[in-house]
Structures are given as C-alpha cells and as structure tokens.
Amino acid sequence: MDKIAQYYPLSLHGVGLSLGSSDKLNQNHLNQLKHTINRYKPKLFSEHLSWGSVNGQYFNDLLPMSYTRESLAHFVDKVKQTQDYLGRQILIENPSSYLQFGESKTNEWDFYAQLPGLTGCGLLLDINNVYVSCQNFGYDVFDYLNAINGEYVAEIHLAGYTINAYEKGDVYIDDHGSKVSDQVWDLCQKTIQKFGQKPTLIE
C-alpha cells in the first residue's frame, strides 16, 4: 500500500463513522482513520449519508435517515466535527434507499444537495444508488440529478443491483455483486455529460 500511494492518488472509503447516529463520534475510530489518512495521504476520503450505531452498538448495515431540519443540523455538525478533526474535506455518498420515514419533511436529493454549502464537504455520487432509490419510490432520476451541483461532485460510484420480488411490488437492492446494468451505465454517461469527467469506481 505504501508503494501504491507513492505512484497513484488514492481514494479511501469509510463505512463506520455512523455520521447520522445520535451517538457521539467514535474517537477510537477517528484516531485510526486520521493515522491512516496521514500515512497514505489519499486524494479523496468518503463516508455515507446514513447511520449504523445506537449506544455504541454497531449494525452491519448503512441505515436510512429521516429528512428533517433537525436531522440535517445534526448531520451537518457531525460532518464538521469530522473534517475539523481530520484536517481535510470529506465526501458524502448518497444512500440506496428501501424505506422512508413518515416524519421526513423533504426528499433525499434536496437534503443531500444542501450538505456541501453547509459543511464544505464534497459529494460522492453513487449512480447505482440514485437509480435504486428512484426505482423503489417511483422518482424520476433526473429530478435527483438536477438537484445536485456538479461542482461539488468529486467522485462517482457504479455498482450492480438485484431485484427482490414481493406481493406488493419489487424492491431494488444495491448488492455489489451483480454487473452494472445497462440502465445505470446509460445514466452514468448522462451524468458525465452533465457534470464532466470525475474519478469513477466500479464497486
């Protein structure tokens, strides 16, 4: 890894900060993260618009947030704390969504699009997650993309999905095990045309 870092710009991707949780930031995790970043000096570091812990108990999933003014203020504070401690900008990735909270006052993309202006963070735009979320809730993918300021998008992710069939309808799952679909490739091309070339990772 040290030799790779000498010759290539790295992008580190986190799953454990649980930025949307009511828990305090895990200081041990932050310490290890800062050590890793200082050692390898990645060009980009990213985390998720999600939460995954309650009272220090961590779950093996990236759980959805409610989209309210209170949760936005809370998430913004966590991102600022993280960036201050790490001494650098982080990117926030949009989630793949399978359920929604009745208390939400806005939609996912408007909530997500506000983060750079409120925190100075960048965005990691996962095209497959956009597609999955929009399929699950009947949204237009271009409503989602049109809400995003491409100047803040510093990285793009692509992945595959699977479809679980239920009596009440299909659920699209971001499974990281299937090939990138033709629909997501097409959406990626349209995203690049709109926002310009970005570092892109196929998960």
Side-chain angles (χ1 to χ4, degrees), residues 5-92:
Q6 291 178 21
Y7 296 102
Y8 298 97
L10 300 180
S11 176
L12 299 186
H13 190 47
V15 296
L17 277 176
S18 191
L19 293 171
S21 172
S22 60
D23 289 352
K24 293 182 179 179
L25 288 169
N26 185 317
Q27 192 60 49
N28 183 56
H29 184 77
L30 274 176
N31 291 342
Q32 294 182 58
L33 184 57
K34 186 168 187 174
H35 173 76
T36 301
I37 287 174
N38 288 341
R39 177 173 178 176
Y40 297 114
K41 297 178 174 55
K43 183 175 180 61
L44 302 170
F45 169 71
S46 53
E47 253 289 353
H48 296 81
L49 177 58
S50 67
W51 61 280
S53 66
V54 176
N55 295 325
Q57 179 68 45
Y58 283 79
F59 301 94
N60 190 27
D61 206 347
L62 299 170
L63 300 171
M65 296 185 59
S66 60
Y67 299 127
T68 65
R69 284 186 294 180
E70 293 81 7
S71 62
L72 178 62
H74 176 75
F75 195 85
V76 163
D77 183 57
K78 286 288 193 67
V79 172
K80 287 180 176 179
Q81 288 182 52
T82 300
Q83 291 185 140
D84 287 346
Y85 185 77
L86 297 179
R88 62 171 297 151
Q89 182 192 59
I90 68 173
L91 312 182
I92 300 298

Side-chain angles (χ1 to χ4, degrees), residues 129-183:
N129 287 356
V130 170
Y131 186 78
V132 162
S133 296
C134 289
Q135 289 298 311
N136 285 336
F137 297 111
Y139 299 138
D140 187 324
V141 293
F142 296 105
D143 286 343
Y144 201 122
L145 293 178
N146 288 336
I148 305 299
N149 185 337
E151 292 183 7
Y152 297 129
V153 177
E155 185 174 349
I156 288 173
H157 278 189
L158 299 171
Y161 61 81
T162 189
I163 302 175
N164 290 0
Y166 300 98
E167 289 184 6
K168 294 185 178 181
D170 295 340
V171 177
Y172 286 62
I173 305 292
D174 174 44
D175 70 351
H176 293 77
S178 305
K179 292 182 179 180
V180 179
S181 70
D182 290 341
Q183 295 91 336

